[in-house]
Amino acid sequence: MKTALTWALRLGLGGMFLLAGALKFSDPTSFALEIHNYQFLPALAPWLAATLPLMEIILGATLILAPRPWARASTLASILILLMFTIAVFSAVVRGVNITCGCFGEGSGPVTITTVFRDVVLVGAAVALFTLLRQDKPVPNERVA
Amino acid sequence: MLADWLPVSTKQMSIQATLLLQGAQRILFRGLAANQHEDTLERYYYHDSQQLCKKKVSLSSLFFLRPPIPDLYPISSQLLRSSFGATAKRNEVCMAKLGTNMMSTFDRPLLVRTASLLAGSFALGLVVNSMRPSGVALFAFEPPTVCTTANKQEGLITEMTPHEAMRLCGRPEIIFADTREHDRFAAGHVADAMHLPCNISASGAEIALKKLGNVQTVVLYGESTEDAREVADTLRRLGVDTEIRILRGGFAAWEQEGLACTSGPCKECSISDSKETSP
């Protein structure tokens, strides 16, 4: 059960990152505009647009294919990135900035409270995966009951 | 409840008593009781850690996961230290299981791998971006302006009918601004209107804003009333304090009334042309 859940989360999160990265990778300039539209650290927009898509692809591939220690590291990195996304979309919703999400390239739909909720769920899934991937060393035989 | 958190339980006290006895045995019969002594020590630590595991210890209670007080066993303190080293790993397993040992949850190899993944993919992203013809310009990136209703500034934005707007035509203190896309603007627009689309480049917007600062009233129109309102709100947000009016019904209503319009390049097209220089 635990193994099945671990693999479901690895495939789900990894697949989502691969898809999101691939869609953004094709047009980095449009993605830079999407990031800039958030009006949240706009100076970083071109840098994030140049690096985030490939980062998502690598993290997605590592989540699915890498051995457990690297998959766990990838999960931790994913949590950090998803937290950043969550803060960005939450900030946009709070400020009432009417923009498209850009989460999966063009045509991702507008940023709404649903987007924030989705990101929170994804952070929760990543944290759950991080916990499941923790190495449990066998406890030595009990001598004192 | 308090007794549950006391560091020394009855069981542990009995083990300590055993250790004392074994310490005495070691003095009398050097080496004979060594293995037995170590074994008892391990039991002590294991018992200690298991008790804490079962009780879901708080971080502060980890202070109880310590070696027995060396003063109790002055003779075998070296043995205690070596035994503690062996059993410390067992305690770590216990603590990691409970999630109370932060260093076990976020151990160094994990942090190094995570940092490697992030830094490596960041660097690779920059390299790939520099090699791609369609890569984004990191230092020369010029974003377009954004139409948004955020942070609306005070200032009345009123609507007017095409006929009301027509009466403002030709007055030097009034300017018309077309917020539609470039091709729609080129196909036909209100005579002498400037082009001020939502996705105008930053440099184009700067020129437009300077121009708007020199007039008394700007009449905005788009495909619809709402199109123009987005631009109007954006102008207010950008600090334009010129009187802003919106043509009700947009350009379609203007055309329907058969009012003056023109087609093709206009005097202000240099503003919209600068859009093409943006990435």
Side-chain angles (χ1 to χ4, degrees):
Chain A
M1 179 64 187
K2 194 175 168 183
T3 309
L5 183 61
T6 304
W7 273 106
L9 286 171
R10 283 181 75 165
L11 290 171
L13 281 173
M16 184 206 68
F17 269 117
L18 278 175
L19 177 68
L23 288 170
K24 291 169 190 164
F25 187 75
S26 57
D27 191 355
T29 302
S30 293
F31 183 45
L33 299 181
E34 303 271 14
I35 297 172
H36 190 275
N37 287 350
Y38 277 87
Q39 300 165 45
F40 185 76
L41 302 174
L44 293 178
W47 296 85
L48 289 174
T51 54
L52 257 182
L54 206 58
M55 201 177 277
E56 287 182 320
I57 290 171
I58 290 172
L59 289 183
T62 319
L63 274 171
I64 295 173
L65 301 172
R68 180 175 277 228
W70 281 96
R72 191 157 174 256
S74 177
T75 310
L76 182 57
S78 304
I79 291 171
L80 297 176
I81 287 180
L82 286 169
L83 278 175
M84 184 180 73
F85 291 164
T86 307
I87 292 169
V89 292
F90 181 71
S91 156
V93 169
V94 166
R95 287 177 293 140
V97 182
N98 182 21
I99 51 170
T100 55
C101 172
C103 312
F104 293 92
E106 287 185 53
S108 302
V111 170
T112 61
I113 194 69
T114 311
T115 318
V116 179
F117 180 71
R118 183 186 65 194
D119 279 8
V120 169
V121 169
L122 287 172
V123 170
V127 170
L129 179 59
F130 183 73
T131 309
L132 286 168
L133 284 173
R134 191 160 55 200
Q135 290 265 1
D136 285 337
K137 292 173 187 170
V139 178
N141 294 331
E142 284 197 16
R143 294 183 186 182
V144 178
Chain B
M1 286 299 289
L2 185 63
D4 289 341
W5 297 103
L6 288 175
V8 179
S9 65
T10 311
K11 184 80 178 176
Q12 288 167 339
M13 285 179 74
S14 69
I15 295 172
Q16 289 195 3
T18 311
L19 282 168
L20 277 173
L21 180 63
Q22 289 173 356
Q25 284 177 331
R26 289 200 68 204
I27 295 170
L28 296 173
F29 312 102
R30 281 189 179 278
L32 288 180
N35 291 336
Q36 192 183 352
H37 189 96
E38 285 180 17
D39 188 53
T40 310
L41 274 176
E42 283 201 21
R43 286 168 60 198
Y44 179 94
Y45 286 110
Y46 190 61
H47 173 76
D48 202 358
S49 60
Q50 285 296 302
Q51 288 300 312
L52 291 170
C53 277
K54 286 174 187 170
K55 288 172 183 168
K56 305 285 181 190
V57 292
S58 64
L59 199 60
S60 59
S61 63
L62 290 176
F63 286 112
F64 298 134
L65 279 174
R66 80 277 181 268
I69 304 163
D71 293 344
L72 279 175
Y73 323 103
I75 305 160
S76 57
S77 59
Q78 190 176 352
L79 182 61
L80 284 172
R81 279 195 294 273
S82 62
S83 295
F84 180 72
T87 51
K89 283 184 182 175
R90 193 172 295 168
N91 286 344
E92 281 175 17
V93 172
C94 166
M95 288 185 283
K97 272 193 156 184
L98 294 173
T100 52
N101 188 337
M102 295 302 286
M103 285 312 292
S104 292
T105 306
F106 298 102
D107 54 18
R108 194 172 174 177
L110 171 71
L111 297 178
V112 169
R113 287 191 194 103
T114 307
S116 305
L117 273 173
L118 290 172
S121 52
F122 184 85
L124 189 62
L126 291 180
V127 171
V128 170
N129 182 69
S130 65
M131 293 167 67
R132 293 174 73 186
S134 60
V136 63
L138 295 176
F139 295 102
F141 176 73
E142 189 189 12
T145 54
V146 182
C147 286
T148 171
T149 55
N151 303 325
K152 284 181 187 174
Q153 302 296 311
E154 291 300 322
L156 195 59
I157 299 172
T158 54
E159 291 182 16
M160 61 197 313
T161 63
H163 277 284
E164 288 171 335
M166 190 190 68
R167 285 197 282 274
L168 302 176
C169 279
R171 290 166 57 176
E173 72 276 18
I174 308 287
I175 191 167
F176 280 71
D178 190 321
T179 67
R180 298 172 304 156
E181 294 295 325
H182 188 270
D183 54 342
R184 301 285 294 153
F185 177 77
H189 55 263
V190 174
D192 291 336
M194 66 184 290
H195 192 204
L196 191 62
C198 221
N199 59 351
I200 191 172
S201 68
S203 54
E206 197 176 336
I207 297 167
L209 289 175
K210 277 182 188 170
K211 190 169 184 63
L212 292 178
N214 297 328
V215 297
Q216 186 184 328
T217 305
V218 57
V219 180
L220 294 170
Y221 68 89
E223 295 287 359
S224 65
T225 310
E226 284 309 307
D227 284 354
R229 184 166 291 282
E230 278 188 4
V231 177
D233 289 337
T234 304
L235 290 175
R236 279 281 181 258
R237 183 173 56 81
L238 293 173
V240 174
D241 55 2
T242 306
E243 183 187 5
I244 298 176
R245 296 190 180 190
I246 294 172
L247 185 63
R248 190 179 298 158
F251 187 70
W254 181 273
E255 268 192 321
Q256 204 170 13
E257 295 291 338
L259 300 173
C261 64
T262 184
S263 297
C266 66
K267 287 187 286 185
E268 308 298 340
C269 280
S270 57
I271 294 174
S272 58
D273 286 347
S274 63
K275 171 190 167 191
E276 293 168 10
T277 61
S278 68

